[in-house]
């Protein structure tokens, strides 16, 4: 029995040496891969740590335009200002709608130039895309976008780093209305009102089938709960901050 135990100990020691040597070889041969796992993941802002009951509603505008004026009218009724993330091609196709949104006091921010999959783009291609979209928005509104939402919600570290290199803040959401799935107005309302918390960012789409029907009830319900609606640029924190593993922006302490 002692010989068997000794043999096993020697075997484990040899295996440990082999594994250690393999780890060293991998670290030397593939330092960038090892570094990627050793550093924190780059995240956009999904929501904000806020003590006050404030919430931001946002709309992605990439294709249709049939409901834009109706959305403007609904929000004007309640004095609500939202953030619209628009695609450059949409700006080119519907400049009057972009102008109307801007004149109604809503933020016009970037959603890329042509709704590409940013994970497959190089850093320079991302920079060029954001500049093209920014140029189009600024030409209509006179204001250059400072926020960006990735098409399809897709991103990785190199996408987020490229966006922030331009001084633009990438924005996601923590409350998804799923209006693009053609849910009924009551389902959209239930999803949103049950998930909103102070500092939430809600995702809608400007051409979703039942969003105009659901929006008044959502606004009224949240107003009754004491919420104030602000554009995303007024929701996010200024100065030094951190972003936790859930994407929540928090003041740096």
């Amino acid at each position: 029995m002692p010989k068997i135990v000794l043999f096993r100990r020697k075997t484990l020691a040899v295996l440990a040496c082999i594994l250690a040597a393999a780890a060293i070889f991998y670290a030397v041969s593939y330092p960038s891969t090892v570094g990627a796992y050793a550093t924190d993941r780059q995240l956009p802002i999904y929501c904000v740590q806020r003590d006050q009951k404030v919430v931001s509603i946002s709309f992605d505008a990439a294709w249709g335009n049939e409901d834009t004026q109706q959305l403007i009218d609904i929000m004007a009724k309640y004095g609500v200002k939202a953030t619209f993330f628009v695609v450059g091609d949409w700006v080119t196709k519907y400049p009057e709608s972009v102008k109307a949104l801007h004149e109604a006091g809503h933020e016009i921010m970037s959603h890329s130039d042509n709704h590409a999959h940013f994970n497959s783009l190089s850093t320079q291609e991302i920079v060029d895309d954001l500049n093209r979209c920014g140029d189009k928005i600024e030409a209509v509104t006179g204001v250059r976008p400072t926020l960006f939402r990735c098409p399809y919600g897709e991103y990785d570290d190199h996408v987020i780093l490229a966006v922030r290199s331009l001084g633009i803040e990438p924005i996601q959401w923590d409350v998804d209305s799923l209006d693009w799935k053609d849910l009924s107005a009551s389902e959209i309302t239930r999803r949103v009102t049950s998930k909103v918390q102070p500092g939430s960012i809600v995702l809608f789409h400007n051409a979703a089938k039942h969003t105009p029907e659901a929006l008044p009830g959502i606004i009224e319900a949240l107003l009754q709960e004491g919420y104030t609606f602000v554009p995303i640029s007024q929701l996010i924190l200024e100065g030094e901050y951190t972003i936790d593993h859930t994407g929540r922006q928090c003041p740096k302490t």
Side-chain angles (χ1 to χ4, degrees), residues 4-146:
I4 295 174
V5 172
L6 180 61
F7 176 75
R8 286 178 176 172
R9 286 178 178 173
K10 287 183 177 179
T11 302
L12 290 173
V14 171
L15 288 174
C17 290
I18 293 172
L19 290 172
I24 293 171
F25 173 79
Y26 191 82
V28 172
S29 303
Y30 305 99
S32 61
T33 304
V34 174
Y37 285 98
T39 57
D40 293 333
R41 185 185 180 198
Q42 298 295 317
L43 291 174
I45 295 173
Y46 281 73
C47 59
V48 181
Q49 180 181 313
R50 296 291 294 263
D51 296 327
Q52 307 85 1
K53 281 191 168 185
V54 289
V55 61
S56 290
I57 58 176
S58 62
F59 296 84
D60 287 358
W63 292 283
N65 187 44
E66 54 272 17
D67 296 331
T68 304
Q69 188 57 52
Q70 187 177 1
L71 295 174
I72 292 173
D73 294 341
I74 291 170
M75 288 186 285
K77 177 182 176 181
Y78 297 97
V80 168
K81 306 300 181 187
T83 302
F84 283 76
F85 291 96
V86 301
V87 169
D89 288 346
W90 194 85
V91 177
T92 300
K93 193 171 183 180
Y94 306 110
E96 292 305 316
S97 290
V98 176
K99 185 178 180 181
L101 286 166
H102 174 68
E103 291 179 346
H106 302 292
E107 289 186 331
I108 312 298
M109 298 297 177
S110 175
H111 193 33
S112 82
D113 192 45
N114 56 13
H115 214 267
H117 290 274
F118 268 42
N119 287 6
S120 65
L121 302 182
S122 69
T123 296
Q124 189 58 53
E125 287 173 330
I126 292 170
V127 169
D128 292 342
D129 183 287
L130 290 178
N131 280 330
R132 285 194 301 271
C133 184
D135 289 344
K136 292 176 181 178
I137 292 172
E138 187 174 17
V140 176
T141 67
V143 181
R144 197 161 189 85
T146 57

